[in-house]
Amino acid sequence: MYLEVKYFIINFKRAQRIPENIDPKKHSRGTSIKGVVLRISPLLTLLAIFCLQAFFLHGPFKSDESIYAYAGYAIASGTIPYSGIQLAQPPSIYLILATLIHLVGPILLALYILKGFLLAFTGFLIYVNVSKLNPVGTGRLMPLIALLIYCCFTIIYYYVTLLEVLFTSILMTALTIYIHLLRNKSNHRLIGFFVMGLIFGFALMTKYISFFLILVVLIFNISLSFFKKKYKKAITECSAMIAGLILTIIFFILLISFVWGAFSQFYLQTMYWQTIRWSMSFSQRLDILCSFLSKSAIMLIFALVGAVFIFLKIRRLEYFLSPILWISGLIIIPFSLNFFADHYIYHLVPLLTISCVIGLQTAINLLHIHFKVVGRKQLLTISFLLLFVTCFMIQVGVSILVYEPPEIEINSTIGNYISQITTPEDKIWTSEGAIGFFAKRQIAIANSTDWPVACAYADIFSYNFTAFMGANMKDYKNGILTPQQFTQSWDTSVKVIVLIEGIDWVPYPDNLLLSGVGNYPSIVPYLEQNYLLNRTILSPNGMLLYKIWVRK
């Protein structure tokens, strides 16, 4: 890993050097300001990415984001993953969050800082890769443009969860190593492929969706070696990569099976659950994909130009990797999963950025071919770049104008209030993870060995908001839990219950608990018998009513 970090730094510095075909003396005359700007701008852009995401642009801290954060808090407090709390994803994200919370406590700003750092790190990898793959040797300009494009898209996709950001940075780290191995002859190639396999294994233990990308990279590497008639090389390199991948997976399986003793729950919650959930319709998938494409339209157009240019003009096969990955990702991922959202393909944004910059450079080169006068070349280049940047800034401006600060205050207020009326040993129940996170209290899990659900959605009862989806739920047509399994856990330990009435964009199960689910009656009589309504709070948008019940 030290060697790979060293490689990143070397290439970052290499991108700052004067191109070999330029006379240093001519370069130094009258260009010192330009040189300083091109040297400082990447660092300022990375700093801007970090600061925007860490301190200003925040997605809503509810739904998936708050569930991940609360799970990290629960694990840091001693809860055993999967057997002690239901987790929908592989363990990497939860272990990272648990480690962070163990070190600094359940502080929301710490999560934002981690997200900002990971986004800036991904931007750094994009800069390094474009510097390495620059097909026409434009020095520092094109890597800087790639970094600026990526900065714009971190604003457009400000709402992406920490899980997606972590997943993207892991994948880009592995792909950066792979591009380095393709571009450089080294005596340590097998070690490089082994390390890449280790990182891909970590990505797989972060999100299973990385399986598609890993498979594409394996097929690409085998095809590349066979094209060069290096059959032994294909076998040894892919074997080294698979060995690293398997070693990482074995490590996590041993951790889950023998340290946590929760392999059966791990399988049910992270794998089997994805197969039994109802499947979205083709039109729903297409609408979500079109939404992603509309936000990425400008970048996608130039990425397609770059892809065509790579396939027709550039003969070095390593340039094929980026377009193959993002094109296959856009085709495979939206239509291969039961459930799909636009952030599922967020990890394609860095790959689109790299192809986009190559396409942008291609368009500029075509203009230079038709206008050979130097003055016109410079004027056209500047005009074209200004047009490109203007289109991007309009899209970014729209994103900023429609940006609404997330409703963090209400969950924070409720959490702080609960912390005042309970002791650290008391348990609470709420379907919103942010409340448990801010209250610094454990959320009681449902009385189930296989599905120890804490904060959850309506799909645990086979509902999508108020629409019954049980007919499409394999093996669990009436849901994975019953309301009784919640009230049974409340009987033993829960002092405070927070129920959320109303409907917004998060499908909370609370309305179903209050109205009754299937053959199970409403929990209202149980609440009135055992708890007192202590306080009601209306959300700022007026869509949700929070009722705080305290045990008698």
Side-chain angles (χ1 to χ4, degrees):
M1 185 58 69
Y2 167 76
L3 293 175
E4 302 307 330
V5 173
K6 182 179 179 181
Y7 153 70
F8 294 154
I9 297 172
I10 290 172
N11 277 278
F12 189 77
K13 292 181 177 179
R14 188 177 295 165
Q16 307 289 330
R17 295 176 184 169
I18 301 170
E20 295 178 358
N21 59 343
I22 297 179
D23 184 356
K25 295 182 179 179
K26 293 181 180 180
H27 183 270
S28 63
R29 292 197 299 267
T31 60
S32 58
I33 296 178
K34 177 183 176 182
V36 170
V37 169
L38 289 176
R39 284 181 174 87
I40 295 178
S41 294
L43 298 176
L44 293 178
T45 306
L46 291 174
L47 182 62
I49 292 172
F50 171 77
C51 291
L52 282 172
Q53 297 297 324
F55 305 113
F56 299 104
L57 294 177
H58 300 146
F61 188 64
K62 58 194 300 186
S63 186
D64 290 356
E65 190 78 287
S66 64
I67 287 178
Y68 300 145
Y70 171 75
Y73 164 75
I75 294 169
S77 301
T79 300
I80 299 175
Y82 303 109
S83 63
I85 182 173
Q86 182 260 343
L87 306 174
Q89 301 291 346
S92 294
I93 179 66
Y94 305 109
L95 293 178
I96 290 173
L97 289 174
T99 301
L100 178 65
I101 292 171
H102 178 74
L103 293 174
V104 302
I107 301 173
L108 185 57
L109 180 60
L111 304 184
Y112 289 150
I113 289 174
L114 176 60
K115 182 179 178 181
F117 170 79
L118 291 172
L119 285 166
F121 178 68
T122 303
F124 172 65
L125 296 179
I126 291 173
Y127 187 91
V128 169
N129 284 308
V130 175
S131 301
K132 198 72 176 174
L133 291 174
N134 198 339
V136 290
T138 52
R140 297 180 290 267
L141 181 59
M142 283 300 143
L144 175 59
I145 291 175
L147 194 53
L148 290 171
I149 293 171
Y150 176 70
C151 179
C152 291
F153 274 89
T154 60
I155 297 174
I156 295 171
Y157 291 101
Y158 71 90
Y159 56 85
V160 171
T161 64
L162 180 59
L163 170 65
E164 304 298 335
V165 172
L166 171 66
F167 179 59
T168 303
S169 65
I170 295 170
L171 288 180
M172 282 304 299
T173 302
L175 292 175
T176 302
I177 295 172
Y178 185 50
I179 291 171
H180 168 66
L181 294 171
L182 292 177
R183 293 279 295 178
N184 297 277
K185 294 182 179 180
S186 171
N187 296 326
H188 306 289
R189 288 180 64 84
L190 291 182
I191 296 177
F193 274 91
F194 179 76
V195 172
M196 183 175 69
L198 291 174
I199 298 174
F200 271 139
F202 191 69
L204 192 62
M205 289 292 102
T206 303
K207 286 196 74 175
Y208 292 138
I209 204 171
S210 60
F211 172 79
F212 299 111
L213 189 108
I214 296 169
L215 187 61
V216 171
V217 171
L218 272 172
I219 295 173
F220 177 83
N221 193 67
I222 292 171
S223 303
L224 189 63
S225 299
F226 273 62
F227 179 79
K228 296 178 180 179
K229 297 182 179 180
K230 297 181 178 179
Y231 308 113
K232 182 179 178 180
K233 179 181 176 183
I235 295 173
T236 55
E237 289 179 348
C238 290
S239 297
M241 175 181 162
I242 293 172
L245 178 70
I246 292 175
L247 186 63
T248 305
I249 294 173
I250 289 175
F251 168 79
F252 278 102
I253 295 299
L254 291 175
L255 175 67
I256 294 166
S257 301
F258 297 102
V259 178
W260 298 339
F263 182 79
S264 62
Q265 292 94 336
F266 164 75
Y267 167 74
L268 286 173
Q269 296 165 24
T270 68
M271 299 181 189
Y272 188 65
W273 173 244
Q274 303 304 324
T275 67
I276 64 174
R277 293 181 72 186
W278 63 84
S279 181
M280 298 176 68
S281 67
F282 180 82
S283 60
Q284 288 176 315
R285 299 169 189 271
L286 198 59
D287 288 343
I288 295 171
L289 179 60
C290 289
S291 174
F292 175 85
L293 296 178
S294 65
K295 294 176 184 177
S296 313
I298 301 169
M299 183 167 65
L300 185 65
I301 291 170
F302 283 96
L304 288 170
V305 173
V308 172
F309 178 67
I310 288 170
F311 285 116
L312 296 180
K313 297 292 184 181
I314 301 179
R315 300 304 179 189
R316 301 198 64 169
L317 297 177
E318 59 267 24
Y319 288 93
F320 287 64
L321 180 63
S322 180
I324 287 175
L325 286 173
W326 68 258
I327 291 172
S328 61
L330 288 177
I331 295 172
I332 296 173
I333 295 172
F335 305 103
S336 59
L337 305 172
N338 281 355
F339 187 83
F340 171 65
D342 63 347
H343 59 265
Y344 284 23
I345 49 177
Y346 172 77
H347 62 276
L348 302 179
V349 167
L351 301 171
L352 279 165
T353 302
I354 294 171
S355 292
C356 174
V357 170
I358 295 176
L360 180 63
Q361 182 61 53
T362 303
I364 292 174
N365 288 342
L366 292 174
L367 290 174
H368 285 183
I369 291 172
H370 290 88
F371 298 92
K372 296 183 179 179
V373 180
V374 174
R376 287 186 179 181
K377 284 171 61 176
Q378 293 176 346
L379 178 62
L380 282 169
T381 300
I382 294 172
S383 301
F384 189 81
L385 288 175
L386 284 176
L387 177 63
F388 181 78
V389 171
T390 301
C391 293
F392 255 111
M393 293 311 296
I394 290 173
Q395 194 169 14
V396 171
V398 170
S399 298
I400 293 175
L401 287 175
V402 301
Y403 170 74
E404 295 182 3
E407 293 182 3
I408 296 174
E409 184 176 351
I410 184 168
N411 289 327
S412 175
T413 300
I414 295 172
N416 291 332
Y417 176 71
I418 290 174
S419 66
Q420 295 172 7
I421 63 175
T422 59
T423 64
E425 292 75 27
D426 290 330
K427 288 189 177 183
I428 67 171
W429 187 88
T430 173
S431 57
E432 175 51 63
I435 295 175
F437 181 85
F438 287 121
K440 302 180 181 63
R441 299 292 184 267
Q442 292 269 1
I443 297 175
I445 63 171
N447 185 23
S448 172
T449 302
D450 292 334
W451 305 98
V453 173
C455 33
Y457 302 138
D459 55 5
I460 62 174
F461 299 134
S462 296
Y463 276 79
N464 183 22
F465 291 96
T466 57
F468 181 66
M469 307 297 291
N472 301 315
M473 290 277 285
K474 177 184 176 184
D475 297 337
Y476 287 93
K477 296 187 181 300
N478 296 316
I480 59 175
L481 293 170
T482 66
Q484 284 184 343
Q485 289 174 295
F486 284 100
T487 56
Q488 287 169 0
S489 68
W490 299 348
D491 281 337
T492 58
S493 59
V494 174
K495 181 176 181 179
V496 175
I497 295 175
V498 181
L499 288 170
I500 305 172
E501 298 182 17
I503 297 177
D504 70 351
W505 59 274
V506 181
Y508 293 118
D510 302 46
N511 291 319
L512 298 171
L513 289 170
L514 292 169
S515 62
V517 180
N519 297 323
Y520 295 96
S522 167
I523 64 167
V524 172
Y526 170 86
L527 285 174
E528 293 176 344
Q529 180 180 354
N530 297 281
Y531 291 83
L532 291 174
L533 182 59
N534 178 271
R535 187 175 179 183
T536 59
I537 302 175
L538 186 67
S539 65
N541 60 12
M543 299 180 70
L544 298 176
L545 182 64
Y546 295 78
K547 292 186 176 181
I548 302 174
W549 296 79
V550 179
R551 182 172 286 279
K552 293 180 179 179

